[in-house]
Structure formats: structure tokens, C-alpha cells
């Protein structure tokens, strides 16, 4: 089985968010896919197989659980399908997923846009114990479908955050997204960091799904539908977003850093 490691939401190797992409000939056993994801031990492993012309089945696994939406691994998958010429460059890709149909389209030499569902958060009181787990006081908290969104007063507070990762797992659902407005002179609009210990990911480097929450949140506050987010993980990454009603377009690039074969001998992959 051809397997790739791709750095997503970056234009250079060893930055952005790494994802594994496994090219299947047909659907595989869920338990086996989970074992492969644990073996590869990246934040996400994508398993993709063709179901029609430019149409694919796509599933995502962390080292410990299956997730129903993952932006960076979808970007990585689209990148692999285009660069291996498994899919035509000038046609949108259609992915059948647990979150419904998602699409990806290549633009120019490297840009890829993803069409994802928006996930606007609803305000809720600051959960008891959250400030202690974060090590700082939130100015706003809200709950999205799977994530807790936390706004801090300044971008520097997001950058310098050193939370209690074990304690955060109690608040997360899927993830705790911490965000703040960018400084007025910055070339981006907001910053974020994403912690998902309940899914086996202490901190995710760059998170497409989180920007489905961040896009409607910051669009309402800043009064614009086209924004740029900077994720302040140690690897770092940049995500362009455009809010279009109940959908979000994510813009990014990706770089292949590994291309090899995974043995399927004795497995239920094929």
C-alpha cells in the first residue's frame, strides 16, 4: 500500500502539520486502520479509496480514535492525489466522509482550497477549573459541535500558553481551541493553538477543522468574511479562511516529505 507523509498548511518541509495518507484499493477494516494510525503515530492518518470519477471515500484516524472531520489530512490527501496524478489537476475532488461530502480544488502550482461545514460556537460560562488548567483567565468561552473555544485577551498570551494538558482533557470533547485577535500591524487576523489530549494529541500543529470554528467566530467580530489565521504551535502554520453562509473555504499548501510502501501482508487492507 502506497503511503505518504505530507506536511500540510505550509510551503516548506518540516513545518505545518504532518499527516499520513494511505492509498487503498477498497475500503479497509476499521480496526486495522486504527492499528496503522497508531503505528504511524502522527496526529492524523487518512485512508482514501476511489469510488468514482474524481470521487473518493475518505476516513481519518488519530493514534487512538477515528474522527469525523480533519482539515489538514484532507489537504494532504488532495495534494497526494494531484501530485501522483491519480486525479486530474483541473477537476475538483469529492470526498465522501463521516461529515458528509467535502470538496477540494487545486489552484495554480500549489494552492488547494477545501470546502468544509462551518461550526459556529455558542457562548457559555467559563467552565469551572478551566482557568487553572490553562494557567490564564479566558475573556470568552463557547462550545462548538465538538470543541471548546477559548478567547484570550492578547495574542502573546496564546503564544506563551503552557497549559496542564492532562487537566485540559476534561474540558475538550474533541479539542480546546485557544485564540486571540492578532496585533493591529500583523499580516494575519487572529492566532490560535489547539489542544486535543482526549484524542491522543497533546497539541495539534495546524488544525483545519478548528478553523471551521474560528472562521465564523472572528468573521462576526471583525466584520469580514475573508481572514487569515496563524496557528502558533512550535511548527506553526497559516490558514486562509472564507466564510460563505454555513460553509467555510480553507486555503493552504502542502509538501510531501516521505513516499513509500506499507506492508499489508496478513492484514485486512486488501
Amino acid at each position: 500500500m502506497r503511503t505518504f507523509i505530507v506536511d500540510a498548511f505550509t510551503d516548506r518541509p518540516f513545518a505545518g502539520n504532518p499527516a499520513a495518507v494511505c492509498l487503498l484499493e477498497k475500503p479497509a477494516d476499521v480496526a486495522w486502520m486504527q492499528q496503522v494510525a497508531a503505528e504511524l503515530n502522527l496526529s492524523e492518518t487518512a485512508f482514501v479509496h476511489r469510488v468514482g470519477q474524481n470521487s473518493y471515500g475518505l476516513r481519518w484516524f488519530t493514534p487512538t480514535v477515528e474522527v469525523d472531520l480533519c482539515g489538514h489530512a484532507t489537504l494532504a490527501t488532495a495534494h497526494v492525489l494531484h501530485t501522483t496524478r491519480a486525479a486530474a489537476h483541473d477537476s475538483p475532488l469529492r470526498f465522501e466522509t463521516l461529515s458528509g461530502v467535502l470538496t477540494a480544488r487545486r489552484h495554480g502550482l500549489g494552492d488547494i482550497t477545501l470546502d468544509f461545514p462551518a461550526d459556529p460556537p455558542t457562548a457559555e460560562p467559563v467552565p469551572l477549573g478551566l482557568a487553572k488548567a490553562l494557567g490564564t483567565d479566558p475573556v470568552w468561552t463557547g462550545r462548538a459541535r465538538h470543541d471548546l473555544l477559548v478567547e484570550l485577551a492578547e495574542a502573546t498570551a496564546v503564544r506563551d500558553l503552557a497549559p496542564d494538558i492532562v487537566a485540559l482533557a476534561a474540558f475538550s470533547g474533541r479539542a480546546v481551541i485557544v485564540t486571540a485577535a492578532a496585533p493591529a500591524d500583523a499580516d494575519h487576523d487572529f492566532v490560535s493553538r489547539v489542544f486535543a489530549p482526549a484524542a491522543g494529541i497533546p497539541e495539534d500543529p495546524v488544525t483545519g477543522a478548528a478553523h471551521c470554528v474560528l472562521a465564523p467566530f472572528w468573521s462576526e467580530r471583525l466584520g469580514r468574511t475573508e481572514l487569515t489565521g496563524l496557528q502558533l504551535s512550535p511548527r506553526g502554520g497559516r490558514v486562509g479562511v472564507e466564510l460563505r453562509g454555513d460553509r467555510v473555504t480553507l486555503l493552504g499548501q502542502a509538501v510531501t516529505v516521505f513516499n513509500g510502501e506499507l506492508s499489508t501482508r496478513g492484514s485486512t487492507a486488501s
Side-chain angles (χ1 to χ4, degrees):
M1 180 178 64
R2 293 189 68 186
T3 303
F4 302 78
I5 295 176
V6 176
D7 290 339
F9 292 115
T10 181
D11 61 356
R12 65 186 189 278
F14 316 124
N17 200 353
V21 179
C22 299
L23 302 183
L24 301 173
E25 294 183 0
K26 60 182 180 180
D29 177 73
V30 171
W32 177 82
M33 289 190 287
Q34 187 64 75
Q35 288 178 317
V36 171
E39 182 79 8
L40 294 172
N41 200 33
L42 295 172
S43 60
E44 306 284 350
T45 297
F47 296 87
V48 61
H49 67 279
R50 185 186 295 275
V51 296
Q53 182 68 28
N54 289 322
S55 183
Y56 300 85
L58 178 61
R59 298 176 76 162
W60 313 277
F61 292 78
T62 78
T64 59
V65 296
E66 183 175 12
V67 297
D68 63 3
L69 186 67
C70 180
H72 85 277
T74 306
L75 179 67
T77 301
H79 169 80
V80 166
L81 292 175
H82 285 310
T83 56
T84 61
R85 301 191 182 280
H89 283 195
D90 57 352
S91 298
L93 304 178
R94 182 180 185 274
F95 295 116
E96 298 177 6
T97 79
L98 295 179
S99 290
V101 174
L102 310 176
T103 60
R105 183 182 291 272
R106 184 183 176 100
H107 305 269
L109 295 178
D111 289 342
I112 295 173
T113 55
L114 307 175
D115 179 31
F116 274 31
D119 189 10
T122 301
E124 67 172 33
V126 177
L128 184 65
L130 178 64
K132 181 179 180 181
L134 288 172
T136 190
D137 291 321
V139 299
W140 187 94
T141 56
R143 184 71 61 176
R145 191 157 63 103
H146 297 296
D147 305 317
L148 178 68
L149 181 64
V150 180
E151 182 186 3
L152 301 185
E154 296 181 344
T156 53
V158 177
R159 182 195 64 202
D160 297 338
L161 202 63
D164 181 335
I165 295 296
V166 174
L168 274 189
F171 301 98
S172 62
R174 179 176 62 186
V176 175
I177 307 166
V178 185
T179 188
D185 60 349
D187 63 351
H188 50 278
D189 300 292
F190 60 87
V191 301
S192 67
R193 291 174 67 186
V194 177
F195 306 94
I201 306 167
E203 180 170 3
D204 199 35
V206 193
T207 316
H211 283 77
C212 296
V213 180
L214 292 161
F217 177 79
W218 285 113
S219 179
E220 180 180 357
R221 281 155 179 75
L222 300 178
R224 289 183 286 118
T225 57
E226 294 188 41
L227 302 165
T228 300
L230 186 66
Q231 197 154 328
L232 296 176
S233 66
R235 290 174 65 100
R238 182 180 296 265
V239 184
V241 300
E242 181 182 1
L243 183 65
R244 300 177 292 103
D246 63 353
R247 307 292 295 183
V248 175
T249 298
L250 307 177
L251 172 66
Q253 296 184 348
V255 180
T256 299
V257 295
F258 173 84
N259 175 359
E261 291 186 354
L262 181 69
S263 173
T264 58
R265 187 176 302 168
S267 78
T268 55
S270 60

